[in-house]
Amino acid sequence: MEILTLNKFKQTYYYKTELIELCREYHLPTNGTKAELNQYLELYLTGTPAGRIQPVRLSVNVKRLTYEQLTLNTKVVGSGFCFNAAARKFFAEYFDQKNFSFKKEMAIIKRRAEVNHDTTLTIGGLLAEYQKLASPTNQCMVAEEATYQWNHFVRDFCQSPESSFFKAKMKVAAVLWQHCKQSKMPKKYTQELTNKYAAEITQFKIKE
């Protein structure tokens, strides 16, 4: 089996299912977001023993609350509250919207409360917090936002006309992403990246 190094891990795009398999292989926690799974693997690959890497959020088996049980005073952690159809209906009525979509800021607030085992946060508190957390300069969003940016970068590259000239599109995207991430340019894919770093990705071109 090929040894996984930190450098190779950072340069490779993994789907969440693949991250879970890697965590299982190295006896790491397998529950959490992609950002959390990435964190476990990076800790392990930088020398932290697997036995010392604990899940940032504890999994608690609690019966899910129904729509009728939800109020602004409902605790977010440990009560059975989750972002499901019942919560969507509750938020739709709260915001007076016919259709409501959960915001990623809300998920970040909930995960933060779970990580800190904060049983004082209520749904009302969550709603009050999520607008503040929406600021792109808020440091609580850095790990989450990095995951979103990479996903969007890969999507945009794979949908671009120039991507059709390459095999192993994920590897090409990973090379370009490293340059983009370390630069001052917007963290988005552009054709300029393909042109600028053509020498590095020519090995992945489909031979005519």
Side-chain angles (χ1 to χ4, degrees):
M1 181 178 67
E2 186 177 0
I3 298 176
L4 180 64
T5 64
L6 180 63
N7 186 54
K8 181 179 178 182
F9 176 71
K10 287 187 173 182
Q11 291 185 353
T12 305
Y13 176 81
Y14 294 96
Y15 292 104
K16 185 174 181 179
T17 53
E18 294 174 316
L19 291 173
I20 291 173
E21 286 302 315
L22 283 174
C23 286
R24 185 173 290 119
E25 179 180 337
Y26 294 114
H27 307 290
L28 304 173
T30 56
N31 294 324
T33 64
K34 286 191 68 176
E36 290 166 351
L37 296 173
N38 275 313
Q39 178 184 343
Y40 302 146
L41 285 160
E42 287 191 17
L43 283 172
Y44 178 77
L45 293 172
T46 52
T48 303
R52 292 178 56 188
I53 300 174
Q54 300 299 317
V56 295
R57 293 182 290 150
L58 297 178
S59 178
V60 181
N61 292 321
V62 180
K63 187 176 180 180
R64 301 303 185 192
L65 296 177
T66 65
Y67 161 74
E68 290 77 15
Q69 293 173 306
L70 298 179
T71 72
L72 290 176
N73 293 322
T74 298
K75 300 293 180 63
V76 170
V77 177
S79 67
F81 168 79
C82 65
F83 293 130
N84 58 7
R88 183 177 288 107
K89 181 178 178 181
F90 180 87
F91 288 152
E93 290 192 0
Y94 180 85
F95 289 109
D96 192 23
Q97 296 178 0
K98 183 176 181 180
N99 298 305
F100 176 82
S101 297
F102 295 115
K103 311 299 187 293
K104 67 180 180 181
E105 292 84 9
M106 291 181 173
I108 293 171
I109 296 168
K110 185 174 184 291
R111 283 195 286 269
R112 183 181 63 189
E114 291 169 341
V115 168
N116 296 328
H117 309 297
D118 180 4
T119 58
T120 65
L121 181 68
T122 64
I123 291 178
L126 183 151
L127 292 171
E129 280 284 317
Y130 103 85
Q131 293 242 19
K132 299 177 185 178
L133 196 56
S135 169
T137 60
N138 194 304
Q139 293 303 306
C140 294
M141 292 184 63
V142 172
E144 297 282 345
E145 193 61 33
T147 300
Y148 288 120
Q149 289 174 342
W150 162 241
N151 288 340
H152 293 162
F153 186 94
V154 171
R155 178 201 63 195
D156 292 344
F157 170 72
C158 290
Q159 291 179 350
S160 69
E162 51 272 21
S163 70
S164 62
F165 295 104
F166 296 94
K167 58 185 177 180
K169 290 182 173 59
M170 288 297 184
K171 292 183 179 180
V172 176
V175 172
L176 299 178
W177 170 248
Q178 289 303 312
H179 287 291
C180 181
K181 184 172 67 172
Q182 295 168 13
S183 71
K184 294 182 179 180
M185 66 178 67
K187 304 304 179 267
K188 297 180 180 180
Y189 171 74
T190 63
Q191 185 179 356
E192 178 185 354
L193 288 166
T194 305
N195 297 334
K196 186 174 182 179
Y197 301 106
E200 293 184 44
I201 59 177
T202 187
Q203 60 181 309
F204 302 112
K205 271 198 169 183
I206 298 173
K207 296 181 179 180
E208 298 180 359

